[in-house]
Every structure is written in structure tokens, then in C-alpha cells.
Amino acid sequence: MANVGFVGLGIMGHPMAGHLIDAGHTLYLYDIKPVPAELTGKGGVACANATEVAKNADIIITMVPDTPHVGAALFGEGGIAAGLTPGKIVVDMSSIAPVETKEYARKINELGCDYLDAPVSGGEVGAKAASLTIMVGGPEAAFETVKPLFEKMGKNITLVGGNGDGQTTKVANQIIVALNILAVSEALLFASKAGADPAKVRQALMGGFANSRILEVHGERIVKRTFAPGFRIELHQKDLNLALNGARQLQMALPATAVAQQLFSAVAAQGGAALDHSALVKALELLAGHTVAPDA
């Protein structure tokens, strides 16, 4: 069993850390909010700051909202870097910018430690079910050391390449998810305004080539008007910003991604930033003067 540090115990980190405790690992925990009593009740050790976490753990995991938060957790006052000694492994499971990820990895490597970027897909549902997809960038030896921990939190675990490649893969994932939500939203809105029952249309489409996980999960959300967040629009906006900024740096166009981002922005402007990203449909409904189904 490993001594594991976990920094960031929010909607994703809380259940992920819980799975590691349940597997018998010793967890050293820190969050800017009080550490959940459920985790300490199961044997997790609450720490005063991330430095204390790093001093006690051999593998330190971060799971925080955005690039600046990772930087602060690693290198800020009371941060992880101050508690590292050579031979430890830092694993960032947040979804952040690939360019900054490479810089963070370089700084951690200079301290004699390995760094893995290991963002996830699957949302709160996947975190609770330990069924996350985990996309990893970094050295293979460090990946093999940490893989048993990944296997307690996820199912589809892939070493994609070097540092930054895990984050690049996550950005690609978020492009695909956003455009699938847009496609499902347009299709169900079209069917509904044409007079068809969107629930039955969705059911029919799930038996054919148009079927997808998005149609299954988010199509149901759209029809049933259940927009309480699994993954918030504001977080998907952050991820698409990474895609669009990266595309500018690469001197390429992502036109469909830009459209999806503008639709997310339209929903956010109407107060929907904290809604589930399936609520993108609300922007299209406004344009159509029609809702897929009555609001609950």
C-alpha cells in the first residue's frame, strides 16, 4: 500500500480520494475548504497545507479547477514543491493548459521528482463509479508506478506520450464532447419543432449509427430538462478556451469548436454558467423560439 497525497477534494477529488482510501492506501489530504469528514472518518489524514501533504506522501495527486490553481497548489505558499524530496511523483489530474503543464513538469523534474499529467473524462458520475477515462502524459516508469492507483479511480487508462500529451488528449476529448452535445441538441430540437416526440426520436436514434454516449446521457437530460450539473458549462468553456488558444498558437482553425463556445457563452450570459453542459440546447432553443420539451 502506498502513502498518497491528494490536493483538491471537490466534486471530482472527493470520490476519487475515497476510492484510494477504500483500497487500503494511506491518504494525506488537503483542500482550501475543510477536508470532508467522510474521508477522515475512513482513515484519511487532514493536513494543514499542501507542503505537509507532500512531506508525508510518495505520490501526490492534484485535482483542482484550472491552470492557475495547479500552479498555486504546486509552487505557491504552502505548496507541494516545498515538501518534495527526490524520488517522489507528482500527478496532476486536473484539466489544464498543455503548455503550462510542460513548464510545471520541468520545474518538478528539477527537484528530482517525476511528473505525470493525467486528466480525466467521465465527470462526477465517473468519479463516483471509479469508471473515469484517464489520459496520461509523462515517463513510462512513473506511469507504471502510479497505474495501480489509476485503476482504483478509472477503467480506460492510457499512457499517451510525454508530459503535456495527456492534457492535449483531454482538450481533444472536450472538443468532441462539445460538438456531440451540439449535434444532439440540434437534432432533438429539429424533431420537436417538426412535431415529433423527442423522447421517441431519441429512442429510435439510439438503435442506429447516430447512437452515442452523448445521445444516451445528455439526450435524456435535454428531453427531461434535468440540467443540474454533472459537468458545468463554465468548466467546458474553460476547456474550449484551451482548445481555441492552442489552435491560435498552432495557426489552425477550429470553426465548429468556436461555434460551440459561443453557444455556451450565450447560455452563460442568461445566467446558466453553472448548469450542466447539456444546457447548450437552451441557446439553440432561444434561436428557434421553441423548446425541445417543457421545462420541469
Side-chain angles (χ1 to χ4, degrees):
M1 296 293 104
N3 291 325
V4 181
F6 213 111
V7 176
L9 302 167
I11 193 171
M12 299 290 291
H14 182 168
M16 292 164 68
H19 294 313
L20 297 178
I21 295 173
D22 292 341
H25 299 290
T26 301
L27 267 287
Y28 296 91
L29 307 168
Y30 176 71
D31 193 89
I32 58 172
K33 297 179 180 179
V35 171
E38 178 193 349
L39 297 179
T40 54
K42 294 197 294 186
V45 180
C47 295
N49 53 41
T51 302
E52 184 181 337
V53 170
K55 286 179 178 178
N56 285 283
D58 300 312
I59 299 168
I60 303 96
I61 297 170
T62 54
M63 188 55 159
V64 296
D66 204 349
T67 306
H69 302 99
V70 175
L74 292 174
F75 307 114
E77 184 178 354
I80 289 165
L84 293 175
T85 51
K88 296 190 177 190
I89 302 173
V90 175
V91 185
D92 178 36
M93 302 190 75
S94 319
S95 295
I96 69 169
V99 172
E100 281 80 356
T101 290
K102 293 177 182 180
E103 179 63 14
Y104 295 163
R106 183 189 64 78
K107 290 181 177 180
I108 295 299
N109 293 160
E110 289 177 349
L111 299 174
C113 301
D114 283 321
Y115 188 95
L116 298 174
D117 49 291
V120 304
S121 179
E124 182 183 8
V125 173
K128 288 181 175 179
S131 61
L132 295 167
T133 291
I134 306 175
M135 302 152 262
V136 189
E140 185 171 3
F143 170 75
E144 292 298 334
T145 299
V146 179
K147 190 175 180 182
L149 301 183
F150 290 149
E151 289 172 341
K152 298 302 180 183
M153 298 181 283
K155 299 296 185 186
N156 180 26
I157 303 156
T158 307
L159 178 62
V160 180
N163 283 130
D165 291 344
Q167 296 294 353
T168 296
T169 305
K170 177 58 187 291
V171 171
N173 179 86
Q174 295 304 82
I175 292 171
I176 292 170
V177 171
L179 299 189
N180 271 274
I181 291 173
L182 174 54
V184 168
S185 296
E186 285 196 350
L188 294 179
L189 182 58
F190 168 79
S192 177
K193 192 161 187 180
D197 181 338
K200 291 182 178 178
V201 169
R202 170 182 165 274
Q203 183 179 0
L205 294 175
M206 285 175 61
F209 199 57
N211 191 25
S212 69
R213 182 69 172 157
I214 297 295
L215 179 62
E216 177 187 346
V217 175
H218 292 320
E220 182 176 39
R221 281 179 171 271
I222 290 167
V223 170
K224 293 186 175 180
R225 317 305 284 174
T226 51
F227 297 125
F231 188 75
R232 301 192 303 276
I233 280 177
E234 60 192 349
L235 293 179
H236 211 145
Q237 286 181 292
K238 179 260 294 185
D239 292 338
L240 295 191
N241 277 337
L242 295 177
L244 294 168
N245 288 337
R248 274 193 291 274
Q249 293 171 348
L250 294 169
Q251 296 186 319
M252 62 177 292
L254 297 176
T257 301
V259 169
Q261 181 72 313
Q262 290 300 311
L263 293 170
F264 279 138
S265 295
V267 179
Q270 298 296 316
L275 295 177
D276 186 78
H277 53 172
S278 58
L280 176 148
V281 71
K282 287 179 171 286
L284 296 172
E285 290 173 338
L286 185 64
L287 293 172
H290 180 86
T291 58
V292 171
D295 284 316

